[in-house]
Amino acid sequence: MSNQTTNPSAPTGIVLNIQRYCSHDGPGIRTNVFLKGCSLRCKWCGNPESIRVKPELSYDPKKCKGRECSLCLKDPFPKGAFYFTEGEEGPVKVNWDLTSSCDQELCSLCPTGALEMYGKRMTVDEVLDEVEKDASIYRSSGGGITLSGGECMLQPDFSAALLKGAHERGINTAVETACNVPWANIEKVLPHVDTMLHDHKLTIPERHKKWTGAGNERILANFKKAYETFPDVDFIARTPLIPGVNADEEHIRAVLAFIRPHKNVIDYELLPYHRFGLGKYEYLGKVYELDDYKTPSDEVVKHLQAIIDEAFGRTGKQS
Ligand code: SF4
């Protein structure tokens, strides 16, 4: 535990998960702190449990003991939220419209862990005490804390307090963001950031809206303003690469044209689409819409990476 004194007026936030030993979201070995809430609805999203700001119910039918248990059909569970269909065996069914009052205390009554909550409210010190456990690893690897989500800039006071507190404890800071938030949020957070990883998902506004639920005009304006207002921050552009959506030269070259005039954009990374974590859609009672989409081939990734390497003067890395 740290010897920092707890500040009772420090903001609290809704944290989805704290993941240690991460190596892909900023320099060195890092602890990723995932915050709840997102302002985009990317159809390929692999973290649907991060979209809602509030904590929410998760239900894994594979863990349910079914009728032999039936606990969640009784008080204090909300009436009608859990039910069995007449004559059918198997796990309990959920009426998701009636589950908004479920909380951690209620879920703890489920004997098998089939019912759980995604997300909980935490203080800045609670999060940083957890993060600080790996301080020696950060020192030896050049790592630190990365705030991710969801969209960490949707909880700007909490994010700013976390990052400021991390700096006070000598911990390097990074954020992973899509910047689909008011500039005022970004302005609050970025003074405490060493590295900002930011997504260039699609270039054309109409296509951006089709695939993510929002246009990219505000996002691009925020990126440009961030590059210009915070010259000491290292910016790393990223694209989640999805065949049939954006895994093409046109998009990669458009992003390069946008970022290369700004010398503090130090890299552009490709994140090949994967299908991990899709089971979480079922746990939330949601349907995954991109069922037919595949991961990009190694050939496509190598070709697009070579274009990026050339633009960054790393021609020796081309394959
Ligand atoms: S309390 Fe848990 S194990 Fe029991 S019926 Fe409900 S979901 Fe299934």
Side-chain angles (χ1 to χ4, degrees):
M1 287 285 285
S2 118
N3 55 8
Q4 307 278 318
T5 19
T6 303
N7 173 5
S9 64
T12 59
I14 309 294
V15 177
L16 175 65
N17 187 20
I18 298 178
Q19 204 173 324
R20 297 164 77 183
Y21 314 121
C22 301
S23 58
H24 296 293
D25 302 302
I29 308 293
R30 313 192 66 84
T31 296
N32 285 1
V33 178
F34 295 90
L35 303 189
K36 284 270 283 168
C38 190
S39 53
L40 294 176
R41 297 292 180 269
C42 303
K43 290 191 191 297
W44 57 83
C45 181
N47 297 316
E49 77 283 21
S50 70
I51 290 174
R52 270 188 62 185
V53 178
K54 289 183 177 168
E56 63 193 308
L57 178 73
S58 127
Y59 167 55
D60 181 356
K62 291 187 280 306
K63 291 185 181 168
C64 176
K65 286 165 77 176
R67 286 182 197 271
E68 66 174 279
C69 170
S70 298
L71 243 174
C72 55
L73 274 70
K74 304 166 196 156
D75 263 356
F77 286 88
K79 203 171 174 351
F82 305 94
Y83 63 95
F84 292 107
T85 312
E86 188 76 27
E88 262 186 38
E89 290 305 315
V92 78
K93 293 199 169 51
V94 182
N95 181 342
W96 291 93
D97 294 336
L98 300 177
T99 59
S100 60
S101 63
C102 292
D103 60 14
Q104 194 58 54
E105 202 179 329
L106 199 60
C107 287
S108 69
L109 300 176
C110 169
T112 64
L115 300 178
E116 284 186 354
M117 291 298 287
Y118 281 130
K120 65 173 177 178
R121 185 168 287 283
M122 293 181 78
T123 67
V124 169
D125 282 337
E126 280 171 340
V127 175
L128 290 181
D129 287 348
E130 186 64 26
V131 170
E132 203 174 24
K133 286 176 182 168
D134 292 325
S136 61
I137 297 176
Y138 309 146
R139 275 194 293 277
S140 59
S141 71
I145 180 176
T146 299
L147 295 191
S148 185
E151 171 56 70
C152 62
M153 300 267 193
L154 280 182
Q155 299 188 52
D157 294 318
F158 184 55
S159 290
L162 278 175
L163 298 166
K164 184 169 180 282
H167 271 168
E168 285 165 2
R169 296 181 189 214
I171 298 171
N172 175 279
T173 64
V175 291
E176 193 183 14
T177 175
C179 277
N180 185 37
V181 295
W183 172 251
N185 296 27
I186 299 167
E187 207 172 23
K188 223 174 240 182
V189 174
L190 274 190
H192 311 293
V193 169
D194 297 313
T195 304
M196 180 174 121
L197 306 140
H198 58 295
D199 277 4
H200 285 258
K201 297 174 195 289
L202 289 122
T203 319
I204 300 164
E206 299 72 39
R207 284 179 55 73
H208 197 282
K209 188 161 187 348
K210 175 185 166 190
W211 287 101
T212 73
N216 60 354
E217 296 89 341
R218 173 169 71 163
I219 293 170
L220 294 179
N222 280 340
F223 288 164
K224 191 164 183 295
K225 201 164 173 181
Y227 302 158
E228 290 167 357
T229 313
F230 295 93
D232 296 333
V233 173
D234 284 341
F235 292 91
I236 299 178
R238 313 218 284 189
T239 289
L241 209 59
I242 306 138
V245 178
N246 60 5
D248 52 66
E249 268 195 55
E250 191 187 353
H251 177 59
I252 303 304
R253 290 194 189 281
V255 175
L256 287 168
F258 186 87
I259 62 175
R260 285 308 282 147
H262 304 277
K263 294 304 160 213
N264 52 347
V265 185
I266 61 168
D267 208 348
Y268 178 22
E269 298 177 348
L270 300 177
L271 309 173
Y273 168 70
H274 60 71
R275 299 174 61 80
F276 308 141
L278 301 190
K280 290 180 280 189
Y281 278 82
E282 185 190 356
Y283 299 167
L284 291 162
K286 293 181 178 174
V287 175
Y288 186 64
E289 289 180 39
L290 238 58
D291 240 1
D292 295 336
Y293 284 73
K294 307 265 182 289
T295 55
S297 69
D298 288 350
E299 217 179 6
V300 167
V301 177
K302 276 182 187 169
H303 173 62
L304 298 177
Q305 184 63 51
I307 294 170
I308 294 170
D309 288 341
E310 189 181 5
F312 276 85
R314 300 182 299 231
T315 44
K317 281 180 75 175
Q318 280 188 52
S319 46

